[in-house]
Amino acid sequence: MASVPPSLQRCLSPRAWTLGLATRRYATSTAAIGADAGTAKSPAWPHQPQFGSIHDDRVARLAAKPLHPLSLADLVKHGRPPLSADALFSSANFTLSLLPNRLAHRIQALRNLPFIVVSNPHIARIYSQYVHSLSTLLPYQERRITNLDDEIQFTEVMADLVQTHSNTIPILARGFLECRKYISPAEVTRFLDEHLRARIGTRLIAEQHIALHLSSQPHCREDATPADAASYVGVIDTALRPADIIRHCESFVSEICELKYGVRPSIVINGQPDTRLAHVPTHLEYIITELMKNAFRATVESGNEKEPVVITIAAAPEDTPGEALASSREQVQQWPGAASIPGVTIRIRDRGGGISPEVLPSIWAYSFTTFGDDDVLDVHNGKTDALNAISGAGGDSNSLAGLGYGLPLGRAYAEYFGGGVAVQSLWGWGTDVYLKLRGLGKI
């Protein structure tokens, strides 16, 4: 079930996993927290959530408010699960204080697109989903969550909204693909970059509370809980080991590579493989998977499949000043948030021949393609560009096709919490990709 963070799937009981995150799943757990909270059954909300339109002025007022900059520290400040009832209520109210503002910003951004673009059925669908979500949440702002029944009902709604927005990026990409004549690639890249970053924060806020809710109830059985479950605070692993994520991604990407090409490169992990940091495992899994797909594809297509892809993990000492690395986006890229938070740098080095100087400046564009205009929408012959790839137009989301489409997406995930991705290409030899991650320090 897509709504449940993968990092929590392994600690859910069979019944909890079967029920997933639909509204039925929380009703059976009321007594567990209720006994701890000592609360009685509360009256219903004064306004039940329902689909509806929102007055333009209200959206404009919400969108005019500055966004709260989300940090990993915000997500773990309510403590380690299982949470007390008061901490769980605090988490719910924190979630509720942030989401309507964020949804209004996305509605306003969609309204600022050219009318002919917003009229596209795919983009119009996303716009309607955001309006629906905002109209659903606004009634909850009229009173604070102070008892168990309110928290359960709110979490039910959050789970349904997370599921509603699970395919936002592919649907938007399909819409922009159909509107190529009416919006420039630069505008598409700018909008998708902003939208993806906003979506990362919005989903994290919602999924963190859902995960804290689940892990504060008797879903985890002692005989089924892994030893490292104690390191999780919601969707965040406070003792994440990047080397384990790399090996997990290697298995997945190797199977795709062998299926497509009949061979698979090996990988070598060196440096400091025992390094740990606090981060979101699903984010790192996505980034590593995309970077590894690019490295494997380049290595095999250049005929160097016997050359291993070398992945080096290096932990930065605490209080390390900001690093500067050359990137294809700027002459020098300054890693944000580097002043005092310990981080990890992962270098992925391949012998895939590098990236040509003509292609290098375009690798961060969502609408970048190495094919001609006549081939842009020709997905039946396997040719696809970044928008085709992330919209699913190519048919096979697990293929290695779509040169570089994972770079802009992966960079957005890395940069959200102060990291980044930089590429150094040695044309005719190979490519080094530097992934910088910022953790939380000691929790």
Side-chain angles (χ1 to χ4, degrees):
M1 179 104 24
S3 302
V4 182
S7 56
L8 292 179
Q9 293 174 4
R10 54 188 174 182
C11 76
L12 295 180
S13 68
R15 174 169 175 76
W17 177 243
T18 301
L19 293 178
L21 288 175
T23 54
R24 282 78 62 193
R25 53 185 146 344
Y26 296 108
T28 58
S29 58
T30 304
I33 300 181
D36 177 56
T39 56
K41 197 171 179 97
S42 66
W45 286 89
H47 301 285
Q48 293 298 320
Q50 59 184 353
F51 179 83
S53 60
I54 307 171
H55 197 279
D56 289 352
D57 289 345
R58 192 165 192 186
V59 173
R61 286 197 302 271
L62 284 170
K65 296 179 181 179
L67 291 176
H68 173 82
L70 186 67
S71 68
L72 286 171
D74 285 328
L75 300 176
V76 301
K77 69 179 182 180
H78 302 290
R80 290 183 179 274
L83 301 184
S84 66
D86 287 342
L88 200 58
F89 301 156
S90 175
S91 171
N93 285 310
F94 175 72
T95 302
L96 186 55
S97 71
L98 298 181
L99 289 187
N101 190 14
R102 288 175 169 267
L103 293 174
H105 273 260
R106 300 322 310 148
I107 292 172
Q108 194 64 47
L110 285 163
R111 287 178 176 178
N112 290 338
L113 290 171
F115 179 77
I116 194 171
V117 175
V118 185
S119 300
N120 177 273
H122 301 289
I123 297 177
R125 174 183 171 188
I126 297 302
Y127 176 82
S128 297
Q129 287 178 353
Y130 274 99
V131 171
H132 167 66
S133 297
L134 182 57
S135 66
T136 300
L137 285 179
L138 283 178
Y140 287 92
Q141 283 196 315
E142 298 183 10
R143 105 187 206 195
R144 287 181 60 80
I145 295 174
T146 57
N147 57 69
L148 179 63
D149 287 343
D150 291 349
E151 189 276 331
I152 291 174
Q153 185 182 15
F154 173 70
T155 308
E156 293 170 359
V157 171
M158 292 307 308
D160 291 335
L161 294 186
V162 167
Q163 182 62 31
T164 296
H165 292 273
S166 60
N167 292 318
T168 294
I169 296 299
I171 294 171
L172 276 178
R174 165 51 60 185
F176 283 122
L177 192 65
E178 294 177 357
C179 294
R180 283 178 180 268
K181 295 181 179 180
Y182 313 114
I183 186 168
S184 70
E187 290 178 287
V188 172
T189 297
R190 183 167 55 252
F191 180 89
L192 287 178
D193 257 340
E194 179 186 348
H195 189 90
L196 180 60
R197 282 164 171 75
R199 183 176 181 272
I200 290 170
T202 301
R203 284 188 69 90
L204 268 178
I205 293 167
E207 289 183 337
Q208 180 70 357
H209 176 70
I210 294 170
L212 289 173
H213 177 101
L214 285 172
S215 56
S216 296
Q217 299 174 57
H219 291 306
C220 291
R221 304 169 301 169
E222 289 186 5
D223 62 341
T225 302
D228 63 348
S231 68
Y232 280 87
V233 179
V235 296
I236 298 171
D237 186 352
T238 59
L240 177 63
R241 191 169 178 265
D244 293 339
I245 299 291
I246 292 169
R247 286 299 182 189
H248 174 76
C249 296
E250 176 197 13
S251 175
F252 172 69
V253 176
S254 292
E255 289 181 3
I256 299 174
C257 189
E258 188 162 9
L259 181 65
K260 181 174 179 64
Y261 297 105
V263 294
R264 61 170 76 183
S266 61
I267 73 166
V268 174
I269 300 177
N270 59 24
Q272 299 170 290
D274 293 328
T275 296
R276 295 179 183 270
L277 81 164
H279 215 276
V280 183
T282 52
H283 288 190
L284 185 56
E285 286 176 7
Y286 175 81
I287 299 168
I288 293 294
T289 296
E290 295 305 325
L291 297 181
M292 201 175 287
K293 282 161 94 175
N294 287 338
F296 275 36
R297 180 189 181 198
T299 300
V300 172
E301 291 187 352
S302 66
N304 290 323
E305 62 273 5
K306 293 184 178 180
E307 296 286 343
V309 174
V310 180
I311 302 180
T312 304
I313 302 173
E318 295 188 14
D319 301 322
T320 300
E323 304 172 44
L325 291 175
S327 77
S328 61
R329 181 172 51 158
E330 299 174 358
Q331 186 64 29
V332 175
Q333 177 171 328
Q334 184 73 29
W335 299 114
S340 59
I341 304 176
V344 174
T345 300
I346 301 173
R347 182 187 65 192
I348 301 178
R349 170 171 288 178
D350 67 65
R351 284 285 309 278
I355 305 170
S356 71
E358 294 79 14
V359 169
L360 191 59
S362 304
I363 61 174
W364 302 110
Y366 289 93
S367 54
F368 165 65
T369 176
T370 56
F371 306 113
D373 292 340
D374 293 338
D375 297 320
V376 164
L377 295 177
D378 186 1
V379 298
H380 300 292
N381 62 7
K383 293 181 178 181
T384 181
D385 68 352
L387 282 179
N388 270 310
I390 63 177
S391 69
D396 181 7
S397 61
N398 290 333
S399 88
L400 295 181
L403 175 62
Y405 80 86
L407 282 177
L409 293 169
R411 185 180 67 175
Y413 274 100
E415 288 181 349
Y416 195 85
F417 289 122
V421 177
V423 175
Q424 291 184 328
S425 171
L426 188 58
W427 178 229
W429 184 262
T431 303
D432 287 357
V433 179
Y434 293 85
L435 168 62
K436 186 71 174 182
L437 302 172
R438 286 293 168 186
L440 273 171
K442 297 179 181 178
I443 303 176

